[in-house]
Amino acid sequence: MQIILRGTAAGYEAEHTARIFFPGAEKAPQVPAAGDFVLAVSHAQTDFVLLRRGGGLRWRSALRAPGADAEYALCSLLYSLLKEQTGQQPPWGMMTGVRPVRIIHDLRAMGATEQQVEDRFLRHFACSPQKFALAREIADRQRPLLDAADPMDCSVYAGIPFCPTRCSYCSFVSRTVGDKATQALVQPYVDALCRELTEIRALADRCGLRIRTFYIGGGTPTSLSAAQLEQLMGHIAATFDLGGLAEYTVEAGRPDCTDAEKLRILKQYGATRISINPQTFSDQVLRNIGRRHTAQDIIDCFAAARAAGHDNINMDLIAGLPGDTVEGFAGSLEQAVALDPENITVHTLTLKRASNLVVEHRAADYDDVAAMLERCTLLQRAGYAPYYLYRQKGTLQNLENIGWSKPGRECLYNIYIMEEVHTILSAGAGGSTKLVIPGKRHGKIERIFNFKYPTEYIDRFAEILDRKRRVEDFYEHYAAQKAGQP
Ligand code: SF4
């Protein structure tokens, strides 16, 4: 399937509206002589959309009402044609944004009534009542945290771009630690990361920022050797005031590189929350995605984490993995619940172009992912509640990712980053520092990017520190504004 766009209002939104129905569709400059395509054309006062599929042609055109939003009018026309012709009922309707909960927060902040919020979801986006109720429940649960946001709060993220093996669905710039070239990179990388974290602490102090949460993610942080992990966590403990943190998460991630010694190090150096991510409890599905551990390894790793004193553990599951079934996924949910972690995060598989899954298995057959997510009612019955939600482009059936937690065990960092509550200072390859002044709708947000690849990060480290100076400029500007200076 190809997507062809014509006219000023036919842009990003129309392209992604087509992908709600045809996730792998590629944008093309010209109408192809053969094959399937979607065409969306916006003229000065009219819109025209056309679908050619399996040799058949279907189209619609409409006169735009005076003053109507041209982009929305074109997308609505396209959505109605594709819905009719595919028979699909997209649960999030024609919403293409990735943060539905943020829309509710923003509308409320602008003074919208609850009826107006509902109309936005059900009429404007044609979202299902169930998805709207879910987003609203999460917005309500997050409200006290957002109300308590202080403009001078921030979080720190440190990224480890290494993993034991590459999962087939991964598009992340993660290198496999087993190969020799990568092994040679890991120690210089950890040294540079520690230096950047020292600079981040100094920067936070100079700007008057209070660090609320710390997050070490990846990749897989426990793919470092025990000595490297101890070096990193020891450095963090010596550099930052861990006692002042509300939360300190480390993604232990995978059981094939997480042992009792590393779990002890995480605990000893102050981690208050860890992730052990099965993705599935089916050995066959684990093999399908390129994991070299078994479901029993996950269970053993979880027991070792509890034995090491970790009392706040998250487990990630993915709905829609190749070879999984609705019953198989329900079995994974049951297994996770039986272990009784404090958080369970349920992702829907996203097909990213850079992943092996897309490259090698384009025609893979996925079971009914929506039916898998419906089984999450099991989590509610087990005492978990949804507390954060986001969507990604290319997710199967245009579904969502949801963090579930036991009461009071919500991951603050996940809410802070997803709802853009405060600044995140990021260290490491691929790190994206996000500078946020909360309190106003569309408050100022700026981004500073680190180099993507570990080699660039190490070789051009001085440039990384140079870019971070913009953090100070940002807060100086904010302080001047607050003081009423131009
Ligand atoms: S553990 Fe995560 S980052 Fe590493 S390869 Fe798998 S999906 Fe990618």
Side-chain angles (χ1 to χ4, degrees):
M1 180 63 70
Q2 299 192 326
I3 304 167
I4 298 99
L5 305 171
R6 297 274 183 273
T8 47
Y12 176 90
E13 288 295 330
E15 181 183 339
H16 287 284
T17 300
R19 289 217 183 92
I20 291 172
F21 299 90
F22 305 110
E26 302 276 1
K27 204 171 147 196
Q30 302 295 340
V31 170
D36 298 345
F37 69 89
V38 173
L39 171 67
V41 185
S42 90
H43 295 294
Q45 290 171 341
T46 56
D47 295 308
F48 175 77
V49 294
L50 180 147
L51 170 70
R52 185 170 77 190
R53 196 161 67 135
L57 275 179
R58 291 283 182 276
W59 66 86
R60 277 185 192 179
S61 63
L63 188 63
R64 206 174 306 129
D69 177 337
E71 191 175 53
Y72 178 74
L74 178 69
C75 290
S76 295
L77 191 67
L78 182 60
Y79 180 80
S80 64
L81 174 74
L82 299 184
K83 190 173 159 204
E84 178 195 276
Q85 291 302 312
T86 62
Q88 293 180 36
Q89 299 281 342
W92 289 98
M94 54 185 287
M95 182 185 285
T96 57
V98 297
R99 293 185 171 88
V101 177
R102 177 81 190 266
I103 294 171
I104 298 177
H105 291 314
D106 285 351
L107 287 170
R108 285 175 173 171
M110 286 192 307
T113 64
E114 287 307 298
Q115 186 59 51
Q116 286 168 325
V117 174
E118 185 174 321
D119 287 348
R120 186 79 178 169
F121 274 72
L122 302 191
R123 296 188 201 291
H124 183 86
F125 292 124
C127 182
S128 76
Q130 292 79 5
K131 293 300 178 195
F132 170 57
L134 175 68
R136 186 169 54 186
E137 178 186 351
I138 292 173
D140 291 345
R141 190 159 289 117
Q142 291 178 347
R143 194 66 253 162
L145 266 178
L146 270 59
D147 288 342
D150 185 299
M152 299 312 287
D153 280 351
C154 73
S155 290
V156 177
Y157 177 87
I160 306 294
F162 306 110
C163 289
T165 56
R166 189 165 175 82
C167 305
S168 63
Y169 54 84
C170 183
S171 63
F172 182 69
V173 192
S174 175
R175 296 186 55 147
T176 304
V177 278
D179 74 69
K180 249 185 168 174
T182 303
Q183 261 309 322
L185 275 180
V186 179
Q187 188 57 51
Y189 182 85
V190 173
D191 294 342
L193 185 61
C194 288
R195 286 208 301 280
E196 193 185 4
L197 287 169
T198 303
E199 180 53 33
I200 281 181
R201 169 65 209 259
L203 198 56
D205 285 353
R206 289 199 296 275
C207 295
L209 289 167
R210 181 177 66 147
I211 301 169
R212 293 288 291 149
T213 69
F214 207 109
Y215 196 104
I216 306 181
T220 307
T222 46
S223 64
L224 300 179
S225 68
Q228 288 160 341
L229 189 63
E230 187 153 27
Q231 178 193 344
L232 175 63
M233 293 203 62
H235 181 79
I236 291 167
T239 308
F240 293 87
D241 171 20
L242 297 189
L245 296 179
E247 180 184 277
Y248 181 3
T249 297
V250 183
E251 284 181 6
R254 295 171 45 159
D256 47 356
C257 62
T258 306
D259 57 19
E261 189 186 2
K262 291 180 190 177
L263 289 164
R264 176 193 60 75
I265 291 167
L266 300 186
K267 188 71 192 164
Q268 181 183 338
Y269 288 96
T272 59
R273 179 180 179 273
I274 65 168
S275 271
I276 296 170
N277 299 330
Q279 317 303 10
T280 170
F281 280 91
S282 156
D283 287 341
Q284 181 56 52
V285 178
L286 283 169
R287 280 194 293 276
N288 292 351
I289 61 172
R291 292 269 181 126
R292 65 180 183 201
H293 60 79
T294 63
Q296 187 59 47
D297 292 333
I298 299 159
I299 294 165
D300 294 345
C301 186
F302 188 88
R306 287 292 198 223
H310 292 286
D311 60 3
N312 193 1
I313 302 179
N314 171 66
M315 300 194 107
D316 279 3
L317 294 174
I318 301 179
L321 289 172
D324 207 357
T325 60
V326 175
E327 289 312 315
F329 179 74
S332 292
L333 281 173
E334 279 166 19
Q335 183 65 69
V337 166
L339 292 173
D340 200 28
E342 286 65 32
N343 289 190
I344 296 177
T345 307
V346 180
H347 297 268
T348 305
L349 182 68
T350 298
L351 295 176
K352 298 264 175 96
R353 290 202 184 111
S355 70
N356 295 339
L357 199 60
V358 170
V359 174
E360 295 166 12
H361 302 275
R362 285 192 87 98
D365 190 20
Y366 301 98
D367 208 337
D368 186 351
V369 187
M372 291 183 187
L373 292 192
E374 278 165 24
R375 296 300 190 95
C376 288
T377 48
L378 170 67
L379 298 178
Q380 261 158 335
R381 290 197 299 277
Y384 295 87
Y387 75 95
Y388 97 112
L389 180 160
Y390 68 101
R391 303 167 69 231
Q392 286 168 289
K393 308 282 182 220
T395 298
L396 295 183
Q397 297 176 19
N398 202 30
L399 288 160
E400 69 278 351
N401 307 310
I402 298 185
W404 298 78
S405 81
K406 294 279 182 72
R409 296 307 196 107
E410 298 82 9
C411 173
L412 301 176
Y413 178 85
N414 284 340
I415 298 173
Y416 292 154
I417 192 162
M418 201 46 61
E419 303 309 323
E420 296 174 326
V421 175
H422 65 214
T423 286
I424 309 282
L425 301 170
S426 290
S432 160
T433 288
K434 200 188 278 186
L435 300 168
V436 180
I437 298 287
K440 285 188 201 139
R441 180 170 147 78
H442 299 316
K444 190 174 177 185
I445 294 181
E446 283 184 23
R447 287 181 172 77
I448 305 170
F449 296 101
N450 283 6
F451 293 111
K452 202 169 167 185
Y453 299 98
T455 37
E456 273 180 299
Y457 176 75
I458 295 164
D459 294 345
R460 300 172 67 182
F461 188 70
E463 286 176 61
I464 302 259
L465 296 189
D466 210 39
R467 289 179 188 185
K468 284 276 190 311
R469 292 209 186 115
R470 279 177 43 212
V471 176
E472 277 181 273
D473 296 344
F474 180 87
Y475 281 100
E476 271 170 24
H477 183 72
Y478 172 63
Q481 268 192 339
K482 242 179 97 181
Q485 294 166 17

